[in-house]
Amino acid sequence: AAGTYEILDVERDVRSARFDIADNVYRPVLVQAMRTFFYQRAGHAKAAPYADAGWMDGASHLGPLQDANARRYDAPQDASTERDLRGGWYDAGDCNKYTNWTSGYVIGLLHAYAENPTVWTDDFNIPESGNGVPDLLDEVKWGVDHLVRMQNDDGSVLAIVGLACNSPPSTTTAASAYGTASTSATLCTAAAFAFAALIYGARGTPTFDAYAAGLRTRARDAWDWATSNPAVIFRNNEQAAGTAGLGAGQQEVDDAGRTAKRVVAAGYLFALTRETVYRDYVEANYT
C-alpha cells in the first residue's frame, strides 16, 4: 500500500531510514533531472521562483561581442562576421555549445517525451510552466531555437560556439566565437530538426504547425547540403587546425562516423516525410 515506511528491528531498537511506496515515487527525480537543462540555459536568467537559492544567476553571455553578436573564430576584428547565436545550453562543465551534441540532447529528450508523454506535465517550475505545453517540449524548443540560429542560408550548420566561462557564468565578459559549418554538425541538426518537426507538428495547434513546417524545410535543406558536401570537417580546439582554445571536447568524427550520422538523419527524415529517398539510404547503408 502507498505510504511512508520504515523497518524496525525491535530487539536491537534499530530503525531504517524512512522511504515512500507510491506509483510516482520517482517523479521528483524526473523533475529535477529535466530542470538541469533550465539551469544550463545560456543567455537566460536563473531567478526566483524557478531557481533555487544558491543557483540563481543573471543571464549570461549577452554582453558586447558575446552570443548575440558573436564573430567567427578566425576573424575577431571583422564585424561583418557577427551572428546572433543566442540560446542553447552550456555543455557539461564548460559553457561551450557544441552543435553535434546539442542535437543529440534534443533527440534524446524528444524520445523521452514520445515514449511516455503523460509523465511530462506542465508544472516542472520553469518559466514556461502553465502555458499549456509540456515543460519538456518547452525546454527542447530552447535548444532547437538555438540550432535554428546556427543554420546558414545554404542549409549548412555551424559546428560550435565557444564561450568563456566564469563562476557564476553571468560574470563572464570575454567574447564568444563560432566555428564554421561541418558535415557532421549539419547531419546531426538535420536529424534533430526532422524529429522535432514530427513531435511539434503532432501538437495540432496553428503555432506549432507553422513551427514544425519551418523545421521540416530546415531539415531537408541540411540534408541536401550535407549530401553535396559529404566531408567538410571542422575540428575545434586543435592546434594543427588553427582552432586552439575554441571549445574543449572534440566533437568531430571520421568518415564512418559521418556515414552513421547520415543514416540516423535519413531515418528521422523518412519518419517525418515518408519519402523513399531517405528510406532507400538507410536500407543501403545501415549495416
Side-chain angles (χ1 to χ4, degrees), residues 69-193:
N69 55 338
R71 295 182 179 180
R72 200 175 66 218
Y73 77 100
D74 58 351
Q77 307 304 320
D78 186 353
S80 70
T81 68
E82 288 186 10
R83 294 280 297 268
D84 179 3
L85 303 174
R86 290 171 294 125
W89 301 293
Y90 311 138
D91 187 86
D94 59 60
C95 290
N96 299 296
K97 299 185 289 191
Y98 305 88
T99 301
N100 288 30
W101 298 335
T102 295
S103 298
Y105 309 149
V106 165
I107 289 171
L109 292 172
L110 288 174
H111 273 293
Y113 172 79
E115 291 166 15
N116 199 354
T118 60
V119 304
W120 302 106
T121 49
D122 191 22
D123 58 353
F124 280 45
N125 192 32
I126 63 174
E128 297 83 1
S129 293
N131 66 355
V133 177
D135 283 347
L136 182 68
L137 294 185
D138 287 320
E139 193 61 53
V140 170
K141 188 174 183 296
W142 179 265
V144 173
D145 288 348
H146 167 66
L147 293 175
V148 165
R149 297 185 185 102
M150 295 288 282
Q151 188 170 37
N152 295 318
D153 291 340
D154 62 2
S156 63
V157 184
L158 303 176
I160 187 174
V161 187
L163 280 63
C165 200
N166 293 346
S167 181
S170 65
T171 63
T172 305
T173 58
S176 301
Y178 65 87
T180 53
S182 70
T183 302
S184 62
T186 303
L187 288 169
C188 288
T189 305
F193 283 163

Side-chain angles (χ1 to χ4, degrees), residues 151 154-157 182-194 215-230 258-270 272-273 275-283 285:
Q151 188 170 37
D154 62 2
S156 63
V157 184
S182 70
T183 302
S184 62
T186 303
L187 288 169
C188 288
T189 305
F193 283 163
L215 294 177
R216 181 187 183 111
T217 298
R218 290 180 177 279
R220 289 178 183 274
D221 290 347
W223 172 269
D224 291 344
W225 184 88
T227 299
S228 299
N229 299 271
R258 281 185 291 278
T259 299
K261 290 179 184 297
R262 192 181 301 275
V263 169
V264 170
Y268 286 111
L269 276 158
F270 178 66
L272 174 66
T273 68
E275 295 176 8
T276 56
V277 61
Y278 304 118
R279 183 194 64 198
D280 291 348
Y281 186 86
V282 173
E283 291 181 344
N285 293 279

